[in-house]
Amino acid sequence: MACSSPPHVVEDLRPFLQLFSDGSVIRFPDPLPPPSPPPDQPVVEWKDVVYDASHKLKLRMYKPANASSGKKLPVLVYFHGGGYILGSFEKPNFHACCLRLAGELPAVVLSVDYRLAPEHRLPTAFDDAETALCWVRGQAAAGEKADPWLAESADFGRAFLCGDSAGGNIVHHMAVRAGLGSLSLDPVRVAGCAMLCLMFGGVPEYDQLWRLALPIGSTTKSQDDPLANPFAPGSPALDDVVLPPMLVLAAGRDKQRGSTLDYVARLKAMGKPVELVEFEE
């Protein structure tokens, strides 16, 4: 009787995760301490809602506690970062971020979970994001029959897409799908996009992340893969794509800063409505 050898580590990304030869994954607890809330943070209510029962996917909905005053608020759909391999709306820093966004903007914030690589490689995260936006579209069309929080407080004519790191890349792909017409969002109107510290291919420090996120068997370098680089061969030509106004944030110490600045410069050269905000740190 042949003896099988135990699974061994094929990708070691400690302190975050390990991928084993049998496809199993171990994710380690978040090494970062939870952030402290700012003083006088407005009171925000939140709850979890299923948007895709077939894949057991949820989003976390936030609204200011005083949102029932009758005034409709903009809707911000948020996609978390984590290199496509980590993260959830439950992660303390993402949760804290959305609490602040909902309370200080103010806005109705929908923080979307999506399936992670390497168990579910790209384009799964993009497809889950599209499913979430279709759920939002259905809520907008439902009017008074929508989720009570949304029916009461959401202004779907002022919707915004927001994401950090890999989530920013998701925002780009959703804006392009909508601009090309492959993703119909009517009656939702996307009034703008905000992308923080974008994660694109071509940065050597992130090669291991991309090996885990890109499809199995992919021999294309991340800078040449349209899933990772919006200007790679095979990516949609953006010259004639109508994009909403975009706000892009770049941090001075972010290893992705160069690719972020290149992204903004290329969009500006096409005449797209994009604004860059740079931070020193």
Side-chain angles (χ1 to χ4, degrees):
M1 180 176 179
C3 295
S4 59
S5 58
H8 61 275
V9 175
V10 293
E11 291 282 0
D12 194 342
L13 201 60
R14 286 179 291 184
F16 304 112
L17 66 72
Q18 290 178 315
L19 172 64
F20 289 81
S21 55
D22 64 352
S24 61
V25 175
I26 292 178
R27 286 185 172 84
F28 299 103
D30 191 341
L32 299 176
S36 300
D40 303 321
Q41 177 171 292
V43 178
V44 172
E45 299 173 345
W46 57 271
K47 65 179 181 180
D48 297 344
V49 179
V50 174
Y51 75 85
D52 182 355
S54 65
H55 294 113
K56 300 179 181 180
L57 290 171
K58 299 179 180 180
L59 55 81
R60 181 161 288 179
M61 190 181 303
Y62 302 78
K63 73 177 181 72
N66 61 0
S68 59
S69 60
K71 181 181 178 181
K72 296 283 188 175
L73 298 175
V75 177
L76 190 149
V77 183
Y78 175 79
F79 300 99
H80 66 76
Y84 300 110
I85 65 170
L86 299 169
S88 162
F89 58 51
E90 295 179 335
K91 191 173 180 180
N93 60 334
F94 297 138
H95 180 63
C97 173
C98 290
L99 286 172
R100 293 193 65 180
L101 288 170
E104 296 179 19
L105 285 174
V108 174
V109 176
L110 306 176
S111 182
V112 178
D113 257 3
Y114 49 88
R115 286 172 289 172
L116 300 175
E119 301 96 321
H120 305 283
R121 293 172 180 257
L122 293 175
T124 299
F126 301 152
D127 295 339
D128 289 345
E130 179 171 322
T131 299
L133 291 178
C134 289
W135 180 90
V136 175
R137 179 189 65 198
Q139 293 292 306
E144 294 182 356
K145 295 182 179 180
D147 179 278
W149 285 16
L150 297 178
E152 181 179 58
S153 302
D155 180 358
F156 291 105
R158 292 185 295 157
F160 297 83
L161 307 184
C162 177
D164 66 279
S165 187
N169 196 1
I170 291 174
V171 169
H172 166 84
H173 281 269
M174 295 304 100
V176 170
R177 289 186 184 188
L180 290 171
S182 62
L183 170 59
S184 174
L185 294 177
D186 186 62
V188 175
R189 173 181 170 267
V190 177
C193 298
M195 295 171 277
L196 293 72
C197 301
L198 282 157
M199 178 183 165
F200 289 138
V203 179
E205 291 86 347
Y206 291 86
D207 283 349
Q208 189 175 20
L209 284 177
W210 286 114
R211 282 202 305 272
L212 294 170
L214 291 174
I216 292 176
S218 174
T219 57
T220 305
K221 294 182 178 180
S222 62
Q223 66 264 31
D224 298 323
D225 194 308
L227 295 171
N229 181 356
F231 305 110
S235 295
L238 301 181
D239 302 77
D240 298 325
V241 177
V242 177
L243 297 175
M246 293 185 164
L247 176 67
V248 180
L249 281 70
R253 297 187 182 183
D254 184 8
K255 293 181 174 63
Q256 299 274 356
R257 182 174 180 273
S259 58
T260 297
L261 298 183
D262 178 69
Y263 173 77
V264 171
R266 288 182 180 231
L267 289 184
K268 283 187 174 181
M270 298 177 195
K272 307 302 182 188
V274 57
E275 178 181 351
L276 173 68
V277 176
E278 296 185 74
F279 294 91
E280 292 183 2
E281 294 297 322

